[in-house]
Amino acid sequence: VRLRESGGGSVQAGGSLQLSCEISGIIFDAENRDCVGWVRRPTGGQSEGVADVDSDQLTYADSVKGRFTLSKDNAKTILYLQMNDLKPEDSATYYCAAQLGSCLGEKARPRVEYTFWGHGTRVSVSS
């Protein structure tokens, strides 16, 4: 399984960025049989599940609802995270991640723990 993110950068508050993640090695189709999602980790902070999707549902963290959108291009096997109205507290390293099967786990969704990870891409939002 391979995941590779791109699209991070620096923006001012209120701006937008789109993250992309090329994924291979898992089932990546319209049925969403394998769980994919985004996790972020601020410098010195704890990881937070941002959004995830599986065959049952698409979930977002309360902190990003209405501002971030997870989408997929199944033909290209690319996972996207469109981030609008960015805030300084969104600054973090964002990781694309995947898990075979459902996103359900011991903790609430969006999922934080995954089996497969990308290398991460840095997002910095200035006020």
Side-chain angles (χ1 to χ4, degrees):
V1 179
R2 189 170 67 181
L3 302 95
R4 185 171 66 180
E5 305 96 334
S6 61
S10 298
V11 295
Q12 290 188 327
S16 298
L17 284 173
Q18 185 183 64
L19 306 183
S20 301
C21 179
E22 298 177 37
I23 302 178
S24 61
I26 64 168
I27 300 174
F28 195 92
D29 61 12
E31 295 183 21
N32 299 323
R33 283 172 284 180
D34 285 335
C35 173
V36 290
W38 293 91
V39 176
R40 67 184 181 185
R41 184 183 304 145
T43 302
Q46 293 187 332
S47 295
E48 177 188 21
V50 175
D52 67 23
V53 62
D54 64 8
S55 59
D56 288 329
Q57 62 182 315
L58 167 62
T59 62
Y60 292 98
D62 288 342
S63 58
V64 306
K65 281 182 181 177
R67 300 188 298 122
F68 290 13
T69 303
L70 181 152
S71 62
K72 301 169 63 197
D73 184 327
N74 294 318
K76 297 180 179 179
T77 65
I78 297 177
L79 183 70
Y80 297 102
L81 185 68
Q82 178 64 42
M83 306 184 294
N84 297 329
D85 190 22
L86 282 160
K87 303 176 181 181
E89 52 263 42
D90 295 319
S91 297
T93 298
Y94 284 70
Y95 298 89
C96 173
Q99 176 81 16
L100 299 181
S102 168
C103 290
L104 289 176
E106 294 184 355
K107 300 179 181 179
R109 293 177 62 171
R111 194 176 178 93
V112 176
E113 298 175 347
Y114 289 84
T115 302
F116 307 107
W117 293 85
H119 63 277
T121 186
R122 181 71 187 169
V123 171
S124 296
V125 185
S126 58
S127 58

